[in-house]
Amino acid sequence: MSSQFQFLNGEWSQISEAAAKAETLAYPDPRAACFYSRRALELTVNWLYSADDSLLEPYREDLNARLFEPSFKTLLGNALHRKCDLIRKLGNLAVHSTKPILVKDALVAVGELFHICYWLGRNYGRTPAAIPDPTATFNAELLPKTSPIPAQSIAQIQALAQQLADKDRQVTQLTERNAALDAQIQQLRTEIAQAKAANATKIDNHDYTETQTRDYFIDLLLKEAGWALDQPNNREFPVTGMPNESGNGFVDYVLWGDDGKPLAVIEAKRTRRNPQVGQQQ
C-alpha cells in the first residue's frame, strides 16, 4: 500500500514512519494506530519547536505543555489545535485505558493526523516533493483491513511508549551537550523561515474538516469518563413523540446501566443554540 503520508518521506522521515504505522494499523489494531498517531504528532510538534523560532518553549518540554503554549496555539489556530489535542487524548487512552479502542477511534486519529501533516508540508516544505498536492484528502477506504502482526496488548504498548520516551530523552540530552549542532539548528531555522514565508503566499484550500473534529470530541469526552460507546444502542437511539410530521426522532447518545436501563441521555447542540432545543428528545 502506498502511504497517504508519502510527502513526509524526504524532510520528515521519522514522522513519516510513525504515520505510516498508524494508517496500516487503523483497522487491524486500532489501539496501536492511536498510539502511533500520537507518536507522529509528538514528533511533529518537537520538530516545529526546533525549526520555527516564533515558538516559545513552555515550562516543560512534553507534548501537553508544548501544545498549550500560547505561541503554538496561535501558530496553528483553533481548528488545527483541536485536532492535535484530540490525537493526544486518543493516544493517551490507547496507552492508559482498558476500555476498548474502536476502529472508528483509530480512523479519526489517523484522519486528523493527515490534516496536521498536510498543514506541516504545505507551510514548511522546502522542496516540491515535501509539499502535498493541494487536492489531497485522506481516504480511509485505502487502508489495509488486516495485518500479519497480531494486535498488541496494552502492556506491550505501554512498554513501547516507555522505550520511545527513554530514546527521546537520550537524544535530547545528546543534543543539549553537542554545541556543534547549534549552527545546524540555526541554519535549519533560517531555511524554514524562508520556506514558511514562500508557502504563506499560496492560498490554502484544503478542507480541514473542523466540524467533524468538533463532533467527535463528544465521543472522546465520554470515553475519557469511562463509557466505551461500543454498542449500536449508544448512539442515534430512536424516540417517538417528536414535534414533527412523523413524530419520530433520535437521541444522540444513551448511556446504559448494567441492568439494561438508561442512566442518561445526551443531546448535542451547537453552543450558539438554546439548550432547550434538545429538551424534547
Side-chain angles (χ1 to χ4, degrees):
M1 182 196 81
S2 178
S3 173
Q4 297 180 67
F5 296 86
Q6 194 167 2
F7 58 90
L8 297 171
N9 288 348
E11 298 188 25
W12 300 284
S13 58
Q14 280 190 303
I15 302 173
S16 176
E17 181 182 357
K21 287 181 179 178
E23 66 178 337
T24 57
L25 293 172
Y27 282 102
D29 192 351
R31 187 177 296 275
C34 288
F35 167 77
Y36 279 112
S37 294
R38 186 192 186 282
R39 173 65 177 169
L41 171 66
E42 186 169 29
L43 291 170
T44 299
V45 172
N46 290 347
W47 183 88
L48 285 168
Y49 271 90
S50 69
D52 192 329
D53 57 10
S54 72
L55 295 175
L56 304 176
E57 280 288 357
Y59 62 99
R60 287 199 322 268
E61 292 183 357
D62 61 24
L63 180 59
N64 188 58
R66 282 181 159 174
L67 280 185
F68 286 91
E69 207 294 314
S71 62
F72 185 84
K73 293 182 70 175
T74 299
L75 176 67
L76 266 72
N78 290 334
L80 283 169
H81 187 267
R82 187 178 291 112
K83 294 177 185 296
C84 289
D85 196 33
L86 189 154
I87 297 169
R88 178 186 69 85
K89 287 175 175 287
L90 279 172
N92 288 348
L93 284 175
V95 175
H96 302 297
S97 174
T98 59
K99 296 292 183 182
I101 302 295
L102 309 180
V103 169
K104 175 184 177 181
D105 302 323
L107 293 178
V108 168
V110 178
E112 300 293 34
L113 178 64
F114 179 84
H115 293 300
I116 299 299
C117 292
Y118 178 97
W119 175 87
L120 175 71
R122 188 241 177 253
N123 287 283
Y124 293 90
R126 286 168 286 170
T127 63
I131 300 175
D133 186 328
T135 65
T137 58
F138 177 73
N139 186 353
E141 295 301 318
L142 298 179
L143 304 186
K145 304 300 187 294
T146 60
S147 171
I149 303 173
Q152 298 187 66
S153 66
I154 294 180
Q156 289 173 315
I157 290 179
Q158 288 175 341
L160 178 59
Q162 186 60 54
Q163 177 185 347
L164 291 174
D166 292 341
K167 179 181 177 182
D168 290 344
R169 196 175 301 110
Q170 292 172 4
V171 170
T172 300
Q173 291 172 350
L174 287 172
T175 301
E176 290 174 347
R177 290 200 299 263
N178 192 347
L181 288 176
D182 289 347
Q184 296 179 26
I185 292 174
Q186 188 53 52
Q187 176 64 26
L188 171 65
R189 289 183 169 179
T190 300
E191 293 177 2
I192 289 302
Q194 293 171 349
K196 185 179 176 183
N199 291 330
T201 62
K202 305 169 187 174
I203 298 175
D204 187 357
N205 292 318
H206 180 69
D207 180 5
Y208 288 97
T209 64
E210 182 178 3
T211 301
Q212 293 177 22
T213 305
R214 186 170 57 245
D215 291 346
Y216 180 77
F217 243 99
I218 301 172
D219 286 47
L220 184 55
L221 292 172
L222 289 172
K223 285 178 182 292
E224 288 185 323
W227 298 96
L229 302 180
D230 57 349
Q231 299 300 318
N233 63 355
N234 287 141
R235 296 183 181 84
E236 295 296 317
F237 191 83
V239 293
T240 58
M242 294 298 295
N244 55 37
E245 186 174 342
S246 67
N248 299 321
F250 296 89
V251 172
D252 289 332
Y253 299 87
V254 180
L255 307 182
W256 300 90
D258 293 336
D259 58 0
K261 296 180 179 180
L263 294 177
V265 294
I266 299 173
E267 182 65 20
K269 288 287 183 283
R270 292 182 175 87
T271 54
R272 63 176 178 267
R273 297 188 67 184
N274 191 313
Q276 292 182 342
V277 173
Q279 186 174 3
Q280 182 72 23
Q281 278 100 322

